[in-house]
């Protein structure tokens, strides 16, 4: 089989992204009655692209305000788009969160609100709870990002420190009807976790948030501890009357993107193996992928080459070094160290939003020659992994993938391509 492995991997990545883009998935879910006035609000890396779709297909009066990450805007005519910082919130996110609450504060039963939600919304719609400051939230957010906490754990803390998350936005909209359309970027696709669930009931508690801070040895400001110890910090719970007119609809999820990539792989002549939505330390998840890869190469199990292993989800990185790189670069660096140039094996790891962590690349490529080429440049995969320097490692190999912001987000995408020649 004469193939260009990197071209195939990039096509799989692009297919996964396209399968979750708002222009392809949102319109069928909008209300059947699209006449009359609607207020559109939104938060997340896909929020502006989602707003464009609503503008195009809504037949009545449209107005509103959405916030997205810097560089992820869109050309909306009726809905204002504001850009703010992610993953650590900034003053722009604080200001727009206040404006969003003001926009929905005086609604009645005849009003309709469309809330466009996607990954990143938790940091972008940052309005601290009573008695807390933006600096308090920034400090906690930075510590959580370095701690190795899962996205569910991080969002549990975030929503209890917020005046807008954990169902509080739905409470602010009451008694209007609220339609939430969400693109999932979390393992399990839980509505309570996606962007910290601003319009749904929250099963977690303030005590859970305190326990998470303790578990990861995060030194929180005293104001944070005091607030989480206050009953007023509790989020909106199931059965609250303010949720009676709040409707949640998931319009895209990581599994859809993995399945679309699997179809593309079959068309290219590769048997796909979908491992699904995964969590855990990036470097450890990579070791599991390496083990499955070796089993395929050496024993043809659980399937024979040529094939491709596909997985998604959101891994974590416990930062110990001073290097650069997000969780996808970390995954690929650990995979490179584990496989050490295994013949016939190529891999791609990237974030479907186009940004791996806080870098400008979406991810990177690994080839059978990556390990040896890096060593020839004086780079040890093991040492670079110790320094959390996946970005630097693959930049030196000219193997970074730069997509620019994709304006969607179904989290990470990983593909390991195994050619028949690997068995020889």
């Amino acid at each position: 089989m004469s193939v260009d492995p990197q071209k195939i991997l990039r096509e799989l990545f692009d297919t996964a992204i396209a399968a979750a883009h708002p222009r392809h998935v949102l319109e069928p879910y909008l209300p059947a009655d699209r006449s009359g006035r609607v207020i559109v609000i939104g938060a997340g890396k896909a929020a502006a692209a989602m707003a464009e779709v609503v503008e195009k297909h809504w037949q009545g009066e449209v107005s509103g305000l959405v916030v997205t990450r810097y560089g992820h805007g869109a050309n909306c005519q009726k809905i204002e788009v504001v850009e703010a910082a992610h993953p650590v919130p900034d003053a722009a996110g604080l200001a727009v969160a206040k404006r969003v609450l003001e926009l929905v504060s005086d609604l009645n039963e005849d009003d309709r609100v469309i809330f466009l939600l996607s990954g990143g919304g938790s940091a972008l719609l940052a309005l601290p709870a009573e008695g807390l400051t933006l600096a308090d939230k920034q400090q906690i957010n930075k510590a959580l990002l370095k701690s190795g906490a899962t996205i569910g754990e991080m969002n549990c803390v975030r929503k209890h420190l917020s005046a807008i998350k954990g169902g509080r936005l739905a409470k602010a909209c009451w008694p209007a009807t609220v339609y939430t359309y969400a693109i999932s970027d979390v393992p399990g696709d839980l509505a309570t976790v996606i962007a910290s669930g601003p319009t749904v009931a929250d099963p977690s508690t303030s005590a859970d948030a305190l326990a998470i801070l303790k578990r990861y040895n995060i030194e929180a400001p005293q104001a944070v501890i005091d607030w989480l110890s206050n009953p007023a910090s509790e989020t909106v719970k199931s059965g609250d009357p303010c949720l009676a007119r709040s409707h949640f609809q998931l319009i895209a999820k990581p599994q859809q993107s993995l399945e679309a990539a699997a179809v593309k792989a079959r068309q290219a002549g590769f048997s796909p193996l979908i491992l699904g939505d995964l969590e855990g330390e990036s470097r450890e998840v990579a070791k599991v992928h390496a083990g499955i890869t070796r089993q395929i190469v050496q024993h043809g199990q659980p399937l024979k080459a040529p094939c491709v292993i596909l997985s998604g989800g959101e891994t974590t990185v416990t930062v110990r070094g001073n290097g650069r790189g997000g969780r996808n670069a970390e995954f690929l660096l650990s995979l490179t160290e584990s496989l050490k140039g295994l013949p016939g094996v190529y891999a791609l790891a990237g974030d479907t939003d186009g940004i791996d962590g806080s870098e400008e690349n979406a991810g990177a490529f690994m080839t059978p020659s990556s390990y040896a080429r890096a060593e020839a440049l004086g780079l040890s995969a093991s040492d670079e992994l110790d320094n959390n320097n996946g970005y630097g490692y693959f930049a030196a190999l000219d193997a970074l993938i730069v997509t620019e912001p994709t304006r969607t987000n179904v989290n990470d995408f990983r593909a390991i391509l195994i050619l028949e020649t690997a068995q020889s």
Side-chain angles (χ1 to χ4, degrees), residues 12 15-16 18-19 254-265 267 274 310:
L12 297 181
T15 297
Q255 179 65 17
Q256 290 170 225
S257 289
L258 292 175
E259 289 176 358
V263 170
K264 187 74 173 179
Q267 292 171 346
I274 297 179
L310 301 170

Side-chain angles (χ1 to χ4, degrees), residues 1 17 27 39 81 84 114 117 133 137 147 151 165 175 178 191-192 216 224 226 288 315 346 351 377 380 400 404 410:
M1 184 187 294
I17 291 169
E27 187 273 333
I39 298 167
V81 176
I114 286 179
L117 190 63
T133 66
K137 292 203 72 173
S147 71
I151 185 63
K165 303 182 184 81
V178 180
T192 56
Y216 291 99
V224 168
D226 291 344
V288 174
T315 59
Y346 299 77
D351 198 317
L377 295 172
S380 158
L400 297 176
E404 303 299 330
V410 284

Side-chain angles (χ1 to χ4, degrees), residues 84-368:
H86 177 276
V88 178
D90 67 357
L94 174 65
V96 76
K98 289 179 179 177
R99 290 182 58 201
V100 165
L101 278 189
E102 290 169 3
L103 196 59
V104 301
S105 63
D106 254 337
L107 303 181
N108 60 51
E109 290 184 3
D110 296 325
D111 287 315
R112 287 190 288 177
V113 175
I114 286 179
F115 182 42
L116 305 172
L117 190 63
S118 58
S122 202
L124 291 164
L125 208 58
L127 185 59
E130 183 181 350
L132 302 182
T133 66
L134 178 61
D136 291 332
K137 292 203 72 173
Q138 289 171 328
Q139 179 181 333
I140 295 295
N141 225 29
K142 289 176 182 176
L144 284 168
L145 287 165
K146 291 183 177 181
S147 71
T150 67
I151 185 63
E153 290 172 324
M154 285 192 281
N155 282 358
C156 172
V157 176
R158 286 166 169 166
K159 69 181 69 173
H160 284 92
L161 301 181
S162 172
I164 209 164
K165 303 182 184 81
R168 294 186 180 97
L169 181 59
K171 194 169 187 175
C173 292
W174 173 262
T177 298
V178 180
Y179 301 96
T180 299
Y181 300 108
I183 295 177
S184 172
D185 70 325
V186 299
D189 308 319
L190 295 175
T192 56
V193 180
I194 301 169
S196 301
T199 57
V200 297
D202 176 39
S204 70
T205 65
S206 299
D208 293 332
L210 280 168
I212 290 165
L213 294 177
K214 183 178 180 181
R215 183 178 311 139
Y216 291 99
N217 297 313
I218 292 173
E219 293 185 17
Q222 189 57 45
V224 168
I225 302 300
D226 291 344
W227 171 249
L228 292 177
S229 302
N230 185 335
S233 69
E234 207 46 82
T235 46
V236 178
K237 303 305 178 191
S238 180
D240 192 302
C242 75
L243 299 175
R245 307 187 70 183
S246 183
H247 311 281
F248 181 91
Q249 179 66 57
L250 195 61
I251 65 168
K253 52 189 177 181
Q255 179 65 17
Q256 290 170 225
S257 289
L258 292 175
E259 289 176 358
V263 170
K264 187 74 173 179
R266 287 191 193 96
Q267 292 171 346
F270 295 89
S271 301
L273 173 65
I274 297 179
L275 300 184
D277 248 359
L278 305 177
E279 293 183 275
E281 280 285 326
S282 291
R283 61 182 64 197
E284 300 304 322
V285 172
K287 291 175 184 176
V288 174
H289 282 67
I292 296 170
T293 300
R294 282 192 293 268
Q295 187 71 7
I296 290 171
V297 169
Q298 295 169 5
H299 304 290
Q301 299 170 336
L303 74 173
K304 297 182 183 299
C307 62
V308 61
I309 301 169
L310 301 170
S311 69
E314 181 165 349
T315 59
T316 53
V317 175
T318 302
V319 179
R320 301 179 180 88
N322 299 310
R324 295 173 62 189
R327 55 186 181 262
N328 290 287
E330 178 107 348
F331 169 89
L332 212 55
L333 181 52
S334 179
L335 186 72
T336 304
E337 163 64 17
S338 297
L339 294 179
K340 292 182 170 61
L342 187 64
V345 179
Y346 299 77
L348 174 153
D351 198 317
T352 55
D353 67 9
I355 307 293
D356 187 23
S358 57
E359 303 296 343
E360 81 281 2
N361 66 310
F365 285 112
M366 182 204 78
T367 73

